Amino acid sequence: MEKVTRLASEKGVVIFSKSTCCLCYTVSILFRDLGVQPEVHEIDQDPEGLEMERYLARLGCTGPVPAVFIGGNLVGSTNEVMSLHLGGALLPLLAPYQDHADHALS
Amino acid sequence: MNSTTTQFVSSRRMGMYDPIHQIGMWDENFKQNGNPNAPPALIIPMHANLDNQSEDTSHGSQDTAGKYEQETSKPYDKVQRRLAQNREAARKSRLRKKAYVQQLEASRLKLVQLEQEVDRARQQGVYMASGVDSAYPGYGGCLNSGIVAFEMEYGHWIDEQNRQICELRAALNDHRTDVELRILVESGMNHYLELFRMKAVASKADVFYVMSGMWRTSSERFFLWIGGFRPSELLKVLMPQLDPLSDQQWAFVSNLRQACQQAEDALKQGLDKLQLNLAEAVASGHLGEGNYIPQVATALEKLEALVSFVNQADHLRQETLLQMSNHLTTRQAARGLLALGEYFQRLRALSTLWATRPREPA
């Protein structure tokens, strides 16, 4: 879905979320603790939200929210983010987008 | 309890008047019927089925019966027949008694097993609804057959865990090869993965039960964090047991601990938000009026979300274990698993000591 791809590439760290979803909140808290400011899109408040949700599910996101994109690439949902972080692979991915580095992807 | 529970023996066999053979065959039948729930069988009198024999291979029994009936006029034969019948009756009586005793023994064994399970459940501070029939409403919150099943499985899990700990200890003391240790480490890891699978199923049955740690002993519950142990805390406790670690390993484990802590904090904050949302959903709206229904739906949604939090917490525990085992040597992993297992064993033992400590009279 074009909208999702476009939004996913607009910022370094993008999270598709739902306002009622507390696991989504968990993931955005984690990113903030790690020094990044994720761009959060609440798809339940988006008129095309249902289509976006179906698209994310088709991409393989269990949830399908939170759906996390880093550098325009799909990382996954909560499980994948946690596994990456515990394995030490999340921080390197986030490095270009952390607060001290003033990068924007475009 | 029926006092006459014996297996029906086809009368054609009765004709083969070989006592030892007969007893052996009866034993076979009794072994099959050793459990107390076997339906009672009737004793069929010796002559009853003579007409119904499908395989008439024992002319002996028919002839014998006929012979006895024809010669009732001769007193000697009458006495002989009477003696034979008495012997037969006595033998049957002994066999009936033997069967009865065997069934009693089986029942006693089952009773001991059930008592042990109840004791185990009591030690864990939970009253278990009768494990055999989960249709019984049990004391406390657990009316759930899924939870009853989980408690029994957890009991077995603990038994297996204790056995594995002993084996690990012996293996490390005996300085067994890395190949043998690796097998034990794999079993240990799989055993924990099995627990997480069980918990996922139980969470669907009753998430509050899992979150409250009711299935664990009281001192384990003191350390409860979202339905289980807190990975970063456990790493802190276990790291000294893993010495000597290479510099690279130390760096990895330190980073792992920090990552765990960050993940845990984020998860806890998410859970707090869930709690707040739930409270708001319950408090909002006017109870008894039409608009209560939407609030209930929202509240129920929140409770469903709780399941995913418990699952996520278990995912953290699982990932921590996997990462550790990937970055340690086989021997270190074995020592780590042993230390982990012993740690919880001691906590459980502490609960028992606490529960049974001598108390001063009030």
Side-chain angles (χ1 to χ4, degrees):
Chain A
M1 187 193 172
E2 193 269 325
K3 180 165 187 175
V4 170
T5 332
R6 180 174 49 83
L7 288 174
S9 318
E10 269 180 4
K11 274 292 187 79
V13 183
V14 176
I15 304 178
F16 291 95
S17 160
K18 281 191 195 172
S19 55
T20 53
C21 170
C22 291
L23 266 183
C24 301
Y25 181 72
T26 291
V27 169
S28 54
I29 291 281
L30 178 64
F31 280 144
R32 251 168 266 164
D33 276 351
L34 299 179
V36 294
Q37 300 300 324
E39 179 86 358
V40 180
H41 296 288
E42 313 278 14
I43 64 175
D44 58 332
Q45 290 165 355
D46 190 307
E48 295 174 84
L50 210 53
E51 206 189 323
M52 293 166 83
E53 186 174 341
R54 263 182 262 139
Y55 178 72
L56 290 168
R58 271 206 306 277
L59 284 182
C61 267
T62 50
V65 288
V68 178
F69 289 77
I70 302 180
N73 299 316
L74 176 64
V75 165
S77 195
T78 326
N79 269 9
E80 286 76 31
V81 169
M82 295 297 185
S83 299
L84 275 178
H85 189 44
L86 261 56
L90 186 63
L91 279 173
L93 278 181
L94 292 175
Y97 313 109
Q98 281 176 314
D99 284 336
H100 54 267
D102 253 331
H103 279 255
L105 189 90
S106 56
Chain B
M1 180 83 174
N2 296 308
S3 55
T4 55
T5 47
T6 51
Q7 185 74 332
F8 164 65
V9 177
S10 69
S11 51
R12 78 177 162 90
R13 299 253 207 155
M14 292 295 284
M16 296 188 290
Y17 208 69
D18 175 6
I20 300 193
H21 172 87
Q22 297 241 23
I23 287 173
M25 185 192 52
W26 278 59
D27 262 333
E28 226 170 53
N29 290 328
F30 286 133
K31 275 187 190 108
Q32 287 166 10
N33 260 359
N35 70 71
N37 297 324
L42 299 173
I43 293 186
I44 309 291
M46 203 161 109
H47 311 298
N49 266 8
L50 282 177
D51 295 332
N52 298 337
Q53 283 182 13
S54 48
E55 298 167 65
D56 191 13
T57 56
S58 57
H59 295 287
S61 74
Q62 279 185 334
D63 285 344
T64 323
K67 196 161 116 188
Y68 283 148
E69 275 166 58
Q70 280 164 26
E71 297 176 81
T72 47
S73 50
K74 296 199 179 157
Y76 174 80
D77 283 333
K78 198 171 182 178
V79 169
Q80 284 306 305
R81 182 176 68 148
R82 181 70 56 186
L83 288 175
Q85 281 176 343
N86 284 350
R87 278 196 295 276
E88 189 56 39
R91 192 173 63 84
K92 275 194 226 170
S93 174
R94 280 193 299 275
L95 287 166
R96 275 200 302 277
K97 180 177 172 185
K98 186 174 177 187
Y100 176 54
V101 168
Q102 278 175 337
Q103 284 195 358
L104 274 182
E105 302 266 67
S107 299
R108 194 179 67 85
L109 207 69
K110 179 115 176 116
L111 183 63
V112 166
Q113 279 172 4
L114 284 173
E115 275 176 338
Q116 280 174 355
E117 302 219 42
V118 171
D119 270 334
R120 196 184 296 127
R122 279 214 195 97
Q123 273 176 23
Q124 295 174 8
V126 178
Y127 179 88
M128 208 170 75
S130 148
V132 178
D133 181 359
S134 55
Y136 270 82
Y139 164 84
C142 293
L143 310 186
N144 205 315
S145 66
I147 296 302
V148 172
F150 172 75
E151 283 188 354
M152 288 186 70
E153 281 173 14
Y154 183 66
H156 299 314
W157 189 89
I158 290 288
D159 291 337
E160 174 63 17
Q161 179 75 342
N162 291 335
R163 194 195 63 79
Q164 285 190 4
I165 290 170
C166 282
E167 235 189 304
L168 266 175
R169 196 181 293 129
L172 285 166
N173 284 342
D174 292 346
H175 304 289
R176 290 203 209 136
T177 68
D178 271 12
V179 171
E180 290 168 286
L181 282 181
R182 178 104 301 244
I183 295 175
L184 293 178
V185 167
E186 294 287 323
S187 309
M189 292 295 297
N190 285 333
H191 199 52
Y192 279 109
L193 298 190
E194 181 59 33
L195 179 62
F196 297 134
R197 270 194 291 273
M198 283 162 51
K199 282 174 72 182
V201 173
S203 294
K204 286 209 192 82
D206 184 350
V207 68
F208 289 115
Y209 176 82
V210 175
M211 282 226 30
S212 66
M214 288 312 297
W215 44 288
R216 303 195 90 139
T217 61
S218 36
S219 45
E220 285 173 302
R221 255 178 271 146
F222 179 54
F223 293 94
L224 200 72
W225 181 84
I226 315 187
F229 62 83
R230 192 174 176 134
S232 61
E233 285 303 312
L234 216 57
L235 280 178
K236 220 186 286 177
V237 167
L238 293 180
M239 266 161 81
Q241 309 282 332
L242 300 171
D243 266 345
L245 289 174
S246 72
D247 287 342
Q248 203 181 22
Q249 286 178 323
W250 259 109
F252 175 78
V253 178
S254 302
N255 287 337
L256 177 62
R257 220 186 82 206
Q258 189 181 38
C260 258
Q261 230 156 334
Q262 288 163 334
E264 289 162 12
D265 287 341
L267 201 60
K268 189 61 169 64
Q269 289 191 56
L271 195 58
D272 288 345
K273 181 155 197 277
L274 182 66
Q275 209 177 35
L276 185 63
N277 289 354
L278 178 63
E280 285 171 351
V282 170
S284 72
H286 303 282
L287 301 186
E289 291 188 14
N291 59 357
Y292 179 57
I293 312 268
Q295 268 68 46
V296 169
T298 316
L300 286 175
E301 253 177 50
K302 300 287 167 238
L303 294 183
E304 285 293 333
L306 204 52
V307 177
S308 44
F309 270 89
V310 175
N311 287 344
Q312 201 50 232
D314 273 349
H315 177 73
L316 277 184
R317 293 174 188 119
Q318 187 169 311
E319 273 303 306
T320 308
L321 284 174
L322 288 171
Q323 290 291 340
M324 283 299 280
S325 100
N326 284 346
H327 285 81
L328 297 173
T329 66
T330 306
R331 194 154 295 265
Q332 285 169 328
R335 285 219 310 280
L337 277 177
L338 179 60
L340 184 63
E342 282 184 335
Y343 177 74
F344 284 113
Q345 248 180 359
R346 286 177 206 164
L347 269 186
R348 287 193 286 269
L350 197 61
S351 289
T352 314
L353 284 175
W354 177 253
T356 56
R357 73 193 187 286
R359 264 164 263 222
E360 287 175 11

